[in-house]
Amino acid sequence: MPLRDHFRGWLDQEMKWHSFHQAWATYIAEALTTRLPEGFRASPNVQTAIEIDVAAFGGARTPPRAPTDREEPAWQPSGGTLTLPFEVTEPATEVLVHGRRDGSYLAAAIELVSEGNKDRAEAREAFIAKCETYLQQGVGLVIVDLVTTRAANLHDGLLARVSPTAPVWGERLYATAYSPQGKNGAAKLTVWQEPLAIGAALPTMPLWLLHGPCVPVQLEATYEDTFRRLRLPTEGP
């Protein structure tokens, strides 16, 4: 199902982005759960010291899945759009404390951009700083920006923070994925960039798990599923 404009016109009248945003995060997390290996789990709309739309946790004490007759082969993403030099810190204190507290650690995060993330310089800086912290801790990240009413590119702002030599992309709507790997002077950040367009299908993005494999985030399938479950029309009057 092609991407719709959630911020102007008939769909904005049917349901505000905030409501769709929360539901989509839930269904993305639900879809991820079927693909995560043992010991990982996905949670939507995580509210801690910071807000994460969809989080993947490692170290969870989850019961093993029953074996199936036909196991799907491990999913492999295409090559990244670009690779940048990047320093991954040792495991951050915040992650270590979290791990000791409840036996789990943040392994990956998915951010669905809202208008509030882009409307003021302070909000943009807060979003970028949050995402930079994930990457510095070695946490895999996916950003999805469908906001048609604000021109700021948070991805470009993030890359400018982590690597001053990164090229400026400038897309208004996009999905991006980030894999920080390595340390001790040999670290790198691999980036996947997919431009989005109203009327076009959404891509599948790679989500890299800290201490785990890469799993697909099926944006198109979960986007369509959200419309169906919320009983939203796919076309205006």
Side-chain angles (χ1 to χ4, degrees), residues 2-236:
L3 175 63
R4 303 307 202 259
D5 189 338
H6 289 260
F7 300 89
R8 292 177 292 205
W10 65 269
L11 186 53
D12 181 51
Q13 300 300 316
E14 286 281 348
M15 179 174 287
K16 296 301 181 183
W17 171 245
H18 178 72
S19 296
F20 187 92
H21 173 169
Q22 290 195 358
W24 193 17
T26 297
Y27 301 141
I28 289 174
E30 181 181 74
L32 276 178
T33 297
T34 66
R35 292 186 170 272
L36 291 173
E38 290 181 23
F40 291 87
R41 68 176 184 272
S43 300
N45 294 314
V46 176
Q47 300 282 343
T48 56
I50 55 177
E51 178 183 340
I52 307 171
D53 291 313
V54 181
F57 292 95
R61 296 179 181 178
T62 54
R65 290 183 294 174
T68 60
D69 294 334
R70 183 178 177 181
E71 291 287 344
E72 292 187 17
W75 183 79
Q76 294 294 328
S78 61
T81 307
L82 55 94
T83 300
L84 303 168
F86 179 69
E87 188 57 44
V88 179
T89 63
E90 293 298 318
T93 302
E94 182 180 356
V95 174
L96 291 177
V97 170
H98 184 71
R100 288 195 294 266
R101 185 174 66 243
D102 60 11
S104 67
Y105 60 90
L106 182 64
I110 301 172
E111 294 288 344
L112 306 177
V113 176
S114 68
E115 285 185 294
N117 295 139
K118 299 172 70 173
D119 65 352
R120 293 172 292 110
E122 296 84 354
R124 295 192 291 271
E125 284 300 311
F127 182 92
I128 290 167
K130 174 175 65 171
C131 292
E132 182 184 23
T133 299
Y134 296 151
L135 300 180
Q136 288 175 337
Q137 295 173 355
V139 172
L141 173 66
V142 167
I143 297 175
V144 182
D145 187 350
L146 308 183
V147 178
T148 58
T149 53
R150 301 286 187 272
N153 186 304
L154 298 171
H155 164 71
D156 282 345
L158 175 60
L159 290 193
R161 286 278 290 267
V162 302
S163 179
T165 61
V168 175
W169 192 29
E171 291 289 337
R172 293 193 61 164
L173 306 182
Y174 55 86
T176 50
Y178 311 81
S179 173
Q181 296 177 342
K183 59 182 180 179
N184 297 330
K188 63 180 181 179
L189 177 68
T190 303
V191 181
W192 286 257
Q193 300 176 155
E194 293 284 352
L196 305 180
I198 302 300
L202 292 162
T204 294
M205 302 300 294
L207 182 66
W208 295 87
L209 305 176
L210 178 62
H211 308 314
C214 178
V215 294
V217 181
Q218 297 174 316
L219 296 176
E220 175 69 16
T222 54
Y223 183 75
E224 182 176 2
D225 195 34
T226 305
F227 268 82
R228 179 181 60 81
R229 294 197 191 194
L230 296 178
R231 298 183 177 181
L232 279 174
T234 57
E235 296 293 342

